[in-house]
Amino acid sequence: MKIQNEKKRKKGLVLKIILGFIIGISFGFGIGKMVKSNGSLVNSIEKSLQQNCNCESVIVEDRAIGIQFNKLDGFSNSKLGITLINPSYSSSAEKEQTD
């Protein structure tokens, strides 16, 4: 009876380890895919800003990927901070004054 219980425990442990390994690999693959797609999205945003913005430079300051929570924004999966150095732009107020 003890031998059968030990075999069942070993089988259960092996199954748990295999299941944990499969879940870990699939989770890691999903996170890797998200990081890669987010990186290409950030690069395209930065490139578009550099081409269309009348400023000296565009700096990507803060980039965070993963599940995040704060009281102001709630849950999110990514954050991005971009700084435009010395931008030259005209506001709609300036356009209205000249008309």
Side-chain angles (χ1 to χ4, degrees), residues 79-92:
K79 295 219 181 250
L80 177 65
I82 297 176
T83 302
L84 305 176
I85 304 296
N86 207 5
S88 60
Y89 59 91
S90 61
S91 67
S92 62

Side-chain angles (χ1 to χ4, degrees), residues 38-54:
N38 195 343
S40 64
L41 177 64
V42 168
N43 289 339
S44 68
I45 291 171
E46 185 179 9
K47 190 180 224 181
S48 176
L49 282 173
Q50 287 174 347
Q51 291 173 353
N52 300 316
C53 177
N54 295 328

Side-chain angles (χ1 to χ4, degrees), residues 53-73:
C53 177
N54 295 328
C55 55
E56 288 180 16
S57 66
V58 176
I59 300 171
V60 177
E61 288 182 337
D62 186 23
R63 186 160 91 177
I65 302 169
I67 299 172
Q68 303 154 21
F69 176 78
N70 66 31
K71 291 181 181 179
L72 185 64
D73 298 330

